[in-house]
């Protein structure tokens, strides 16, 4: 079968390899679509994602497909089911797994990071991380349940309620997802700060954003205004802006990933005086069911946010930054007919 193999730093090769064998507790999936995100850029460049990737490895931690074979011990899915895979596999034995915080697992492994993922025709995953897709959700939309579930996890770490006014900083795919998900969770006003006029306008026209701010063009984000602020860029200046935008009692979700040595400045007196909550968020535990329900309810439109559909041959151009402004790219492997 065809597989796009990461063979070393910045080296992707299309190879003909054997189909994977299924262990008793595993599912073999005929891949339909695989999403690409910042983590793949990092892994391609030799940097770690949620865990380090050791080549040769097939990336593709965001994926969807159709069950082709099940191991003898599998009971939750059957051949022919349309599925998506939560890439993160927790050990179940460390202190964090056994205190209800599996995302902090000391022995995290992941499909498309530490074991082969969706950039190939068939891949395997433990049945425990395989989820059926509702009938009214396309395989293409289901390929991004993993990033949706990261946003859902972040929101579940906050106390979210309708009266709140929210600001999302970052008009990338994650910021755009937050715009829709915050409203699905009942927040009555969502504003968006970004740097791409077309995206800001689209989110206002189609996705219910009230006010937009283009921070590159000098728009000022109102200070002290917001009850919930989602920082989805990961730069010191946007982290500082997130704190400055916070009203009394605000919750700031630091979702963007900063550089390992990056720091930002903040007025520590405000943490006390405004009783701020500053919340980190790491990956996506126990959030796939909610994410699939949000897609099925029609409250999320993710296909409208997908800017590029790639094939194996264009993945290299994409990760090398040759494709211009990308909101979200998915690789079509078998497609909807997988
Ligand atoms: N916490 C998690 O579990 C988790 C999961 C997925 C992604 N992330 C992180 O979330 C962040 C966003 O992810 P993404 O996939 O949308 O990345 P992305 O790179 O596509 O988006 C970042 C966006 O921020 C915008 N931006 C840049 N500078 C800005 C500024 N000064 N003001 C406002 N907007 C600005 C850009 O338009 C860009 O599109 C990244 O840092 C990513 O690593 C975290
Ligand atoms: Zn991802
Ligand atoms: Zn663990």
């Amino acid at each position: 079968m065809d597989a796009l193999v990461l063979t070393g730093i910045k080296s992707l090769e299309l190879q003909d390899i054997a189909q994977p064998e299924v262990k008793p507790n595993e599912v073999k999936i005929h891949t339909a679509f695989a999403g690409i995100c910042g983590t793949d850029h990092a892994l391609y460049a030799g940097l770690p994602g949620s865990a380090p990737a050791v080549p040769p490895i097939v990336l593709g931690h965001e994926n969807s497909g159709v069950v082709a074979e099940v191991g003898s011990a599998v009971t939750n899915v059957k051949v022919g089911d349309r599925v998506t895979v939560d890439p993160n596999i927790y050990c179940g034995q460390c202190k964090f797994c056994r205190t209800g915080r599996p995302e902090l697992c000391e022995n995290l492994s992941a499909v498309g990071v530490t074991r082969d993922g969706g950039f190939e025709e068939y891949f395997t995953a433990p049945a425990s991380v395989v989820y059926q897709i509702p009938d009214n959700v396309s395989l293409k939309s289901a390929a991004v349940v993993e990033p949706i579930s990261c946003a859902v996890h972040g929101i579940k770490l906050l106390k979210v309620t309708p009266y709140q006014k929210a600001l999302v900083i970052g008009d990338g795919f994650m910021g755009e997802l937050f715009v829709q998900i915050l409203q699905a969770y009942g927040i009555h006003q969502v504003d968006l700060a970004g740097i791409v006029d077309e995206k800001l306008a689209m989110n206002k026209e189609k996705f219910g954003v009230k006010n937009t701010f283009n921070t590159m063009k000098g728009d000022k984000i109102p200070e002290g205004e917001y009850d919930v602020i989602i920082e989805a860029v990961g730069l010191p200046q946007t982290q500082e802006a997130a704190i400055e935008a916070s009203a009394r009692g605000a919750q700031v979700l630091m979702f963007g990933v900063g550089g390992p040595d990056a720091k930002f400045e903040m007025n520590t007196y405000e943490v006390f005086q405004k009783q701020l909550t500053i919340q980190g968020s790491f990956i996506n535990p126990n959030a796939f069911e909610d994410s699939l329900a949000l897609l099925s309810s029609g409250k999320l439109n993710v296909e409208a946010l997908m800017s590029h559909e790639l094939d194996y041959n264009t993945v290299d151009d994409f990760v090398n930054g040759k494709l211009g402004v990308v909101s979200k790219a998915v690789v079509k492997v078998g497609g909807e007919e997988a």
Side-chain angles (χ1 to χ4, degrees):
M1 64 168 187
D2 283 340
L4 192 64
V5 183
L6 183 72
T7 54
I9 293 176
K10 298 196 175 180
S11 167
L12 282 171
E13 276 178 37
L14 187 57
Q15 295 181 356
D16 184 12
I17 64 172
Q19 285 193 22
E21 300 273 324
V22 178
K23 297 201 177 98
N25 67 340
E26 287 183 348
V27 177
K28 182 158 103 179
I29 295 157
H30 185 195
T31 316
F33 292 93
I36 307 185
C37 81
T39 299
D40 298 302
H41 286 269
L43 298 173
Y44 174 78
L47 304 166
S50 55
V54 181
I57 188 96
V58 177
L59 304 182
H61 63 278
E62 304 177 1
N63 52 59
S64 64
V66 176
V67 174
E69 191 181 334
V70 294
S72 54
V74 174
T75 55
N76 61 333
V77 290
K78 58 182 187 318
V79 172
D81 283 350
R82 300 157 74 250
V83 295
T84 178
V85 171
D86 181 347
N88 295 304
I89 304 164
Y90 309 114
C91 78
Q93 295 177 24
C94 72
K95 180 177 89 181
F96 295 99
C97 282
R98 303 209 303 179
T99 49
R101 299 168 295 164
E103 69 275 26
L104 304 177
C105 177
E106 288 168 342
N107 311 298
L108 188 66
S109 57
V111 174
V113 182
T114 61
R115 58 183 279 161
D116 288 351
F119 293 173
E120 59 181 354
E121 277 179 82
Y122 293 89
F123 70 100
T124 59
S128 58
V129 296
V130 178
Y131 291 78
Q132 284 198 47
I133 303 168
D135 289 344
N136 66 345
V137 174
S138 67
L139 284 163
K140 192 169 172 180
S141 296
V144 295
V145 174
E146 190 270 346
I148 295 170
S149 65
C150 287
V152 165
H153 170 62
I155 288 173
K156 292 210 286 190
L157 291 169
L158 307 175
K159 290 188 186 114
V160 165
T161 192
Y163 79 79
Q164 292 165 339
K165 231 161 125 179
L167 171 72
V168 176
I169 303 179
D171 52 359
F173 182 66
M174 295 311 309
E176 293 182 291
L177 281 181
F178 272 109
V179 160
Q180 296 185 33
I181 300 171
L182 284 167
Q183 292 173 85
Y185 270 81
I187 291 232
H188 84 289
Q189 180 180 328
V190 180
D191 291 353
L192 176 63
I195 58 172
V196 183
D197 277 337
E198 302 78 60
K199 287 199 178 195
L200 295 172
M202 180 182 82
N203 280 281
K204 203 166 179 174
E205 282 153 24
K206 286 197 185 157
F207 298 117
V209 164
K210 185 162 181 211
N211 302 300
T212 58
F213 309 99
N214 187 327
T215 54
M216 288 277 262
K217 296 205 169 151
D219 292 352
K220 278 295 285 172
I221 298 173
E223 292 185 7
E225 218 14 71
Y226 294 96
D227 307 298
V228 170
I229 301 101
I230 312 287
E231 197 290 333
V233 182
L235 295 173
Q237 66 265 34
T238 44
Q239 291 166 330
E240 282 165 22
I243 303 284
E244 284 163 9
S246 59
R248 289 192 206 184
Q251 306 166 79
V252 182
L253 188 71
M254 290 295 183
F255 188 83
V257 180
D261 303 317
K263 296 190 167 120
F264 70 90
E265 277 190 20
M266 62 182 285
N267 178 329
T268 52
Y269 183 76
E270 274 191 82
V271 180
F272 154 70
Q273 189 241 352
K274 289 184 175 175
Q275 191 170 283
L276 294 185
T277 301
I278 300 170
Q279 175 68 54
S281 184
F282 184 68
I283 64 173
N284 61 330
N286 306 319
F288 257 54
E289 294 287 1
D290 285 324
S291 304
L292 286 163
L294 283 171
L295 278 175
S296 183
S297 72
K299 288 185 174 148
L300 293 192
N301 178 351
V302 290
E303 289 200 28
L305 307 179
M306 293 178 182
S307 53
H308 291 68
E309 191 174 295
L310 310 177
D311 58 29
Y312 289 136
N313 297 315
T314 44
V315 173
D316 220 356
D317 288 344
F318 172 66
V319 281
N320 274 314
K322 291 185 191 153
L323 295 183
V325 176
V326 173
S327 179
K328 184 66 183 180
V330 293
V331 182
K332 184 178 173 184
V333 183
E336 292 296 335
E337 293 78 38

